[in-house]
C-alpha cells in the first residue's frame, strides 16, 4: 500500500500545508535569544552578549524555526541575516516583550502599598462626608497613592465587590454575605426629615405612631438606607408603605423639602427647607468597610484598609 503521508526531504524543514495557520509559541527567554541573534547577526556574538552558551542559543533557534515551519535567518558564511519570515516574527516578538514589560510594571505598582491604586466603591450618600475626609487624610500621608472611586446604591456597591471591579467598599448595612468581610466603622443617627411648616416640625421628637400616620417617601428596595428603614418598621410590626420610591438620597431630600412626604434620613448638617426631628426610639445607619474574601487584595488596598480600620473608627 502506498503511504499517502508526504515525508520531508533530508536536510529540509517541513512546512505546514498551504492555507494552514501556524502558531509560534515563544518562551520569554527565546524572545531575548531571537532578538539578540537579529541584532548581532552571529551566533557567537549573540551568545556572548546574552551570557549563554552557543549550543543553548542554537537549540533555541532550531526550536523556533521548527515550530514556525520556516527558516527565520539566511545563513551566509556564518553570518545570520533576518529574512522576510524572521522580520515578521521579530516585530511580533518585540510587541510581546513590550507587553510583558508593561505587565511587570503593573504588578510592581500593585505591590507598592504607597504608590499603587485603591479601587473603592461606596454608597453614594457617603460621598458628601465620609469619602472626602478619608481620602484626603490618607493622601496627606501617602501622596503618591491613587484612587478609582465609584458610587452607587448598596446593591450595586456589593456587585462591584463580588465581580472584582472594586477592591474595597464603604457599605451599609452589613450585607451578611459569607463571601464578604464587613467591619463596622462608625454610625449615623437617623432622623425623621419633615418640611418646614409640617405639624411635626416643632416636635422635640417623633414617635413611631407619627411615622405610621404620615405620608412617607423612601429610597427604592435594594438601597442600604431602605433596608434599614424597612427593618425599623418591621421591628414595630409594620410593613413600610411609601407613597413614592426614588433611587437617590438627594431626590428624597428634595421631595421632603417640597412637602411631598416625610422620610427617614441620616442626621446630617441642617439643610434649608428640611427639619430633622429626632426619633423617640433611636435608629441608626452603621457604616462599614467591606471586601471580598474570595479575591486577593493589592498591597495598596490592604494598607488603606488597615488605615481605615485602625485610625478612622471614630469618625
Amino acid at each position: 500500500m502506498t503511504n499517502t503521508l508526504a515525508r520531508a526531504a533530508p536536510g529540509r524543514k517541513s512546512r505546514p500545508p498551504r492555507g494552514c495557520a501556524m502558531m509560534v509559541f515563544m518562551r520569554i527567554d527565546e524572545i531575548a535569544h531571537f532578538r539578540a541573534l537579529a541584532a548581532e547577526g552571529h551566533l557567537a556574538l549573540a551568545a556572548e552578549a546574552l551570557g549563554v552558551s552557543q549550543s543553548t542559543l542554537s537549540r533555541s533557534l532550531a526550536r523556533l524555526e521548527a515550530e514556525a515551519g520556516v527558516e527565520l535567518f539566511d545563513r551566509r558564511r556564518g553570518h545570520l541575516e533576518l529574512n522576510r519570515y524572521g522580520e515578521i516574527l521579530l516585530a511580533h516578538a518585540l510587541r510581546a516583550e513590550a507587553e510583558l514589560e508593561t505587565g511587570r510594571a503593573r504588578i510592581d505598582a500593585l505591590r507598592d502599598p504607597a504608590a499603587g491604586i485603591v479601587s473603592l466603591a461606596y454608597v453614594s450618600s457617603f460621598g458628601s462626608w465620609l469619602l472626602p475626609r478619608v481620602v484626603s487624610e490618607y493622601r496627606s500621608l501617602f501622596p503618591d497613592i491613587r484612587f478609582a472611586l465609584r458610587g452607587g446604591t448598596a446593591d450595586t456597591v456589593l456587585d462591584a465587590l463580588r465581580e472584582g471591579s472594586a477592591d474595597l467598599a464603604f457599605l451599609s448595612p452589613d450585607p451578611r454575605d459569607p463571601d464578604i468581610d464587613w467591619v463596622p466603622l462608625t454610625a449615623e443617627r437617623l432622623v425623621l426629615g419633615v418640611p418646614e411648616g409640617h405639624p411635626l416640625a416643632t416636635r422635640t421628637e417623633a414617635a413611631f405612631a407619627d411615622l405610621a400616620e404620615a405620608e412617607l417617601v423612601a429610597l427604592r428596595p435594594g438601597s442600604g438606607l431602605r433596608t434599614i428603614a424597612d427593618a425599623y418598621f418591621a421591628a414595630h410590626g409594620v410593613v413600610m408603605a411609601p407613597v413614592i420610591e426614588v433611587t437617590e438620597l438627594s431626590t428624597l431630600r428634595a421631595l421632603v423639602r417640597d412637602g411631598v412626604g416625610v422620610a427617614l434620613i441620616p442626621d446630617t448638617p441642617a439643610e434649608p427647607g428640611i427639619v430633622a426631628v429626632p426619633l423617640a426610639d433611636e435608629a441608626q445607619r452603621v457604616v462599614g468597610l467591606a471586601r471580598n474574601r474570595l479575591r486577593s487584595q493589592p498591597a495598596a488596598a490592604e494598607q488603606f484598609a488597615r488605615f481605615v480600620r485602625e485610625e478612622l473608627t471614630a469618625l
Side-chain angles (χ1 to χ4, degrees):
M1 179 180 293
T2 304
N3 189 347
T4 59
L5 294 178
R7 306 184 69 181
R12 296 187 62 184
K13 299 182 186 296
S14 61
R15 287 171 170 76
R18 184 170 296 178
C20 176
M22 170 63 73
M23 293 185 68
V24 180
F25 296 94
M26 300 179 73
R27 300 195 308 258
I28 294 175
D29 60 335
E30 287 177 340
I31 294 177
H33 294 173
F34 184 47
R35 183 163 51 81
L37 284 168
E40 299 293 343
H42 195 282
L43 191 68
L45 294 178
E48 183 180 353
L50 291 170
V52 300
S53 67
Q54 292 187 43
S55 59
T56 296
L57 207 53
S58 181
R59 285 194 301 270
S60 181
L61 176 58
R63 196 192 78 83
L64 281 178
E65 291 187 323
E67 194 161 293
V70 293
E71 291 184 344
L72 301 172
F73 293 90
D74 292 332
R75 277 77 168 172
R76 292 181 180 147
R77 297 182 181 179
H79 183 73
L80 298 175
E81 184 176 328
L82 273 179
N83 58 27
R84 59 187 299 186
Y85 303 115
E87 288 172 353
I88 292 171
L89 187 59
L90 179 62
H92 288 276
L94 291 176
R95 282 187 217 142
E97 193 171 46
E99 283 294 320
L100 288 171
E101 287 302 318
T102 300
R104 290 192 189 99
R106 292 182 65 183
I107 289 172
D108 288 343
L110 288 177
R111 292 175 57 197
D112 185 352
I117 300 175
V118 178
S119 177
L120 180 64
Y122 60 95
V123 174
S124 293
S125 58
F126 300 157
S128 62
W129 65 280
L130 175 65
L131 198 72
R133 179 170 178 180
V134 171
V135 169
S136 174
E137 193 163 334
Y138 192 70
R139 292 198 76 249
S140 69
L141 298 174
F142 302 99
D144 293 331
I145 207 75
R146 289 177 289 162
F147 283 89
L149 305 175
R150 56 184 297 177
T153 58
D155 52 352
T156 59
V157 168
L158 197 53
D159 286 343
L161 281 179
R162 287 174 177 145
E163 70 188 20
S165 57
D167 301 318
L168 301 166
F170 287 122
L171 183 63
S172 179
D174 182 350
R176 302 190 183 282
D177 183 324
D179 295 337
I180 303 297
D181 177 54
W182 184 85
V183 178
L185 299 175
T186 188
E188 290 182 290
R189 185 176 68 153
L190 297 184
V191 296
L192 181 64
V194 303
E196 290 179 350
H198 191 278
L200 295 174
T202 58
R203 298 274 290 273
T204 56
E205 65 179 22
F208 178 77
D210 298 320
L211 276 73
E213 295 175 0
E215 288 201 325
L216 294 165
V217 291
L219 294 179
R220 68 170 178 80
S223 67
L225 189 57
R226 174 61 182 271
T227 301
I228 295 168
D230 282 340
Y232 178 77
F233 272 74
H236 291 84
V238 177
V239 175
M240 187 179 183
V243 295
I244 295 179
E245 295 175 340
V246 298
T247 58
E248 298 174 344
L249 185 57
S250 59
T251 304
L252 184 67
R253 292 181 181 277
L255 291 173
V256 171
R257 185 182 62 242
D258 291 345
V260 177
V262 303
L264 284 177
I265 58 175
D267 187 14
T268 54
E271 182 176 339
I274 298 179
V275 178
V277 182
L279 297 169
D281 49 348
E282 185 174 313
Q284 63 180 11
R285 175 166 69 161
V286 179
V287 183
L289 183 69
R291 68 175 183 88
N292 190 332
R293 299 177 191 271
L294 304 181
R295 293 185 177 274
S296 61
Q297 293 285 299
E302 289 183 353
Q303 180 170 275
F304 177 74
R306 284 195 299 271
F307 170 80
V308 170
R309 289 194 300 264
E310 296 171 4
E311 304 296 332
L312 302 180
T313 53
L315 279 173

